[in-house]
């Protein structure tokens, strides 16, 4: 983790950058986009690179293209320190400034915002995080969770484990451990893992990590040594991840059998284990590196012009590139909204329509300079996720590389669970507004 003085410096730089983004745009020719951030606290090691990638892509669109069809994007961060109570304040601030989309950046913040957003008619973009059941667009017309959910990730983890063992039939009698943050985010994979364990005959062992113990996992790893799981899935975030990698090495757990959710696949997470971390794996869907036209444009129009607070050697790291992907979805949503409404300056209700029409094809990825950077994804009226393919990334000692082919989630296992849990959410909420929004066709 960074020293507090360094963190304060980065946070100040980010605030200055946000101001710089806002300065050129006038109300008549801009749209406002609010993003929660955590550049301070125990989760800052993960929050900083993602925030940097998001900000730099928006800056690139403004600098290179003059915005989206001539409309500048005013991007602003609200610091939460990963605190859900603070996130509610940030949501209200974003609402007061007429944000066209709200970006919570934690599952807890997403859960807190969902009931508010449905009343306020503000779309939530919780990219590959948040409430898995919100992929049901029928019951959650204002929440979008592309390109997939944590339940999709859990099913891919099981498929990966089966691939390593030699087939789904080889899962019987095996043991999968789940190291997870003891918070809504960390608990998300449990329903799918338990369902699949019953179906395929393997055992799931749960290893919760309290936020206060993220850097003190000694007793937890004693339990892991006792239980001897065949594989470990790490649903971790922030300081929890590098600690898990170091503990796995310390306890002689095979590093290639420790697989992180995509948020446990940061460069600093793997670096923490030194040379012995080579072989650590993580699920992913966005390639690392700068060998893509979109990344070259960010370097050219933003970083090299001094319009970023990101160190050049950090551009292209795994979490930074996830931030780039997130902002790409926002920009494509704006573009769709403009096309659907015929308006240049769109509002939150227009943006909801634009997000529901997302169809990021291979051809569109090539146009965006993202060929081979990620996989296509499509959102629809009923499916606000896309349940897209992902891959297993492997740390080669200095960078993340793709291991093997793209893997499709077990949609037949995940989708019924999404629909059942969405229905349960609505029933428990009471007076939940029924969808009245018309369905959009992909652009």
């Amino acid at each position: 983790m960074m020293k507090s003085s360094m963190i304060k410096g980065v946070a100040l730089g980010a605030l200055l950058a946000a101001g710089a983004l806002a300065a050129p745009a006038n109300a008549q020719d801009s749209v406002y986009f609010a993003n929660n951030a955590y550049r301070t606290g125990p989760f800052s090691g993960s929050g900083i690179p993602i925030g940097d990638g998001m900000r730099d892509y928006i800056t690139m669109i403004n600098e290179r293209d003059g915005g989206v069809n001539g409309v500048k994007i005013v991007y602003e961060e609200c610091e939460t320190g990963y605190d859900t109570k603070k996130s509610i304040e940030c949501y209200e601030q974003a609402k007061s400034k007429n944000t066209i989309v709200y970006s919570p950046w934690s599952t807890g913040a997403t859960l807190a915002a969902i009931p508010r957003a449905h009343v306020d008619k503000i779309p939530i973009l919780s990219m590959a995080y948040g409430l898995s059941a919100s992929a049901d667009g029928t019951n959650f017309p204002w929440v979008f969770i592309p390109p997939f959910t944590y339940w999709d990730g859990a099913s891919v983890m099981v498929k990966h484990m089966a691939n390593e063992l030699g087939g789904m039939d080889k899962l019987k009698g095996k043991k999968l451990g789940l190291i997870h943050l003891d918070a809504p985010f960390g608990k998300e994979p449990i329903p799918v893992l338990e369902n699949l364990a019953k179906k395929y005959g393997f055992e799931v062992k749960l290893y919760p990590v309290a936020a206060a113990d993220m850097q003190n996992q000694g007793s937890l790893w004693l339990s892991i040594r006792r239980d001897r799981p065949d594989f470990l899935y790490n649903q971790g975030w922030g300081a929890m991840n590098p600690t898990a990698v170091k503990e796995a090495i310390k306890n002689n757990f095979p590093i290639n059998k420790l697989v992180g959710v995509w948020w446990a696949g940061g460069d600093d997470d793997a670096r923490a284990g030194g040379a012995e971390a080579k072989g650590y794996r993580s699920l992913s869907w966005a390639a690392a590196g700068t060998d893509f036209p979109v990344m070259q444009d960010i370097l050219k129009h933003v970083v090299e012009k001094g319009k970023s607070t990101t160190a050049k050697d950090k551009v292209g790291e795994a979490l930074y590139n996830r931030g780039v992907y997130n902002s790409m979805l926002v920009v494509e949503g704006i573009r769709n909204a403009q096309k659907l409404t015929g308006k240049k300056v769109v509002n939150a209700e227009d943006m909801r329509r634009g997000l529901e029409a997302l169809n990021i094809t291979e051809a569109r990825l090539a146009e965006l300079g993202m060929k081979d950077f990620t996989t296509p994804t499509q959102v629809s009226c009923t499916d606000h996720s896309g349940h897209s393919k992902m891959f297993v990334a492997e740390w080669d000692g200095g960078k993340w590389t793709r291991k093997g082919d793209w893997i499709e989630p077990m949609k037949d296992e995940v989708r019924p669970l999404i629909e059942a849990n969405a229905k349960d959410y609505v029933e428990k909420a009471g007076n939940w507004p029924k969808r009245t929004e018309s369905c959009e066709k992909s652009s």
Side-chain angles (χ1 to χ4, degrees):
M1 300 299 293
M2 300 174 69
K3 293 181 179 179
S4 59
S5 60
M6 292 175 66
I7 292 172
K8 289 177 182 177
V10 172
L12 177 60
L15 290 172
L16 292 173
L21 284 178
N26 299 314
Q28 293 81 9
D29 61 0
S30 68
V31 290
Y32 176 77
F33 164 36
N35 178 52
N36 283 4
Y38 31 94
R39 295 179 176 273
T40 60
F43 298 94
S44 61
S46 299
I48 289 170
I50 287 172
D52 287 352
M54 289 183 67
R55 179 198 60 221
D56 287 355
Y57 185 85
I58 296 296
T59 306
M60 186 268 288
I61 293 295
N62 284 340
E63 292 292 319
R64 185 193 68 185
D65 303 340
V68 186
N69 293 317
V71 178
K72 292 287 184 74
I73 302 172
V74 179
Y75 174 87
E76 187 173 47
E77 292 182 350
C78 185
E79 177 64 35
T80 69
Y82 202 78
D83 180 79
T84 298
K85 291 181 180 179
K86 176 61 178 174
S87 78
I88 296 170
E89 296 175 19
C90 289
Y91 171 84
E92 292 299 329
Q93 176 180 301
K95 174 185 169 183
S96 72
K97 294 185 176 183
N98 297 318
T99 186
I100 59 168
V101 62
Y102 175 65
S103 179
W105 268 111
S106 85
T107 295
T110 306
L111 294 173
I114 286 174
R116 292 171 169 82
H118 273 64
V119 173
D120 298 331
K121 297 189 181 300
I122 298 172
I124 294 172
L125 177 60
S126 52
M127 178 206 70
Y129 65 90
L131 180 68
S132 295
S134 66
D136 180 355
T138 301
N139 286 298
F140 296 93
W142 291 91
V143 187
F144 297 86
I145 187 171
F148 37 64
T149 70
Y150 287 135
W151 291 350
D152 294 308
S155 76
V156 167
M157 176 60 205
V158 172
K159 286 180 96 171
H160 169 68
M161 184 167 69
N163 289 340
E164 293 285 292
L165 293 169
M168 299 298 287
D169 60 315
K170 300 298 193 298
L171 290 170
K172 189 172 183 178
K174 299 300 181 181
K175 194 178 295 183
L176 171 62
L178 174 69
I179 309 173
H180 67 92
L181 187 65
D182 195 10
F185 150 70
K187 297 173 184 177
E188 272 286 306
I190 296 174
V192 167
L193 293 179
E194 290 182 339
N195 282 2
L196 293 175
K198 291 177 184 176
K199 182 172 182 177
Y200 293 104
F202 63 90
E203 183 182 358
V204 175
K205 299 291 292 185
L206 303 179
Y207 304 104
V209 179
D213 297 328
M214 289 194 298
Q215 294 174 286
N216 182 26
Q217 298 177 24
S219 60
L220 178 141
W221 281 87
L222 287 176
S223 298
I224 292 172
R225 289 178 65 177
R226 179 197 65 214
D227 296 338
R228 299 180 67 182
D230 296 283
F231 287 83
L232 284 171
Y233 186 41
N234 178 22
Q235 184 88 0
W237 193 225
M240 178 179 160
N241 295 331
T243 303
V245 172
K246 288 186 287 188
E247 286 288 346
I249 294 167
K250 178 181 175 182
N251 287 274
N252 296 314
F253 187 84
I255 198 66
N256 64 338
K257 300 293 180 67
L258 174 64
V259 183
V261 69
W262 40 90
W263 303 128
D267 289 60
D268 287 341
D269 299 334
R271 285 194 192 106
E276 293 175 282
K278 183 179 180 180
Y280 172 54
R281 296 173 180 179
S282 169
L283 303 184
S284 186
W285 78 97
T290 58
D291 192 22
F292 305 95
V294 65
M295 303 306 298
Q296 291 299 308
D297 280 352
I298 288 173
L299 288 169
K300 177 182 177 181
H301 296 282
V302 184
V303 178
E304 291 171 3
K305 290 184 177 180
K307 295 181 180 294
S308 172
T309 59
T310 312
K312 189 173 181 178
D313 63 352
K314 294 291 185 181
V315 175
E317 290 193 348
L319 295 183
Y320 180 96
N321 286 10
R322 309 265 173 81
V324 167
Y325 180 93
N326 190 315
S327 284
M328 178 273 288
L329 294 179
V330 172
V331 172
E332 291 303 287
I334 295 170
R335 207 181 303 277
N336 284 348
Q338 291 172 328
K339 182 177 179 181
L340 287 165
T341 64
K343 294 157 56 176
K344 288 188 67 176
V345 180
V346 297
N347 60 27
E349 294 192 47
D350 302 327
M351 185 64 172
R352 193 209 67 79
R353 295 179 62 189
L355 291 171
E356 195 164 85
L358 282 174
N359 184 16
I360 313 297
T361 63
E362 288 280 12
R364 184 57 185 154
L365 288 173
E367 292 170 353
L368 292 170
M370 291 183 166
K371 179 177 171 55
D372 298 326
F373 178 86
T374 189
T375 186
T377 193
Q378 182 174 4
V379 171
S380 70
C381 180
T382 56
D383 179 10
H384 278 195
S385 169
H387 308 291
S388 302
K389 296 177 182 179
M390 61 191 87
F391 62 87
V392 176
E394 184 172 88
W395 184 252
D396 71 359
K399 64 182 184 301
W400 287 102
T401 61
R402 197 178 95 189
K403 177 179 171 60
D405 297 327
W406 291 89
I407 306 173
E408 192 168 358
M410 299 183 193
K411 297 179 186 178
D412 292 343
E413 299 288 345
V414 172
R415 189 65 198 184
L417 194 62
I418 284 172
E419 292 174 358
N421 278 263
K423 182 180 178 182
D424 184 61
Y425 181 103
V426 167
E427 289 176 351
K428 288 180 178 177
N431 298 317
W432 189 255
K434 288 188 176 182
R435 178 176 175 129
T436 58
E437 296 78 11
S438 62
C439 291
E440 300 295 345
K441 293 182 179 180
S442 61
S443 59

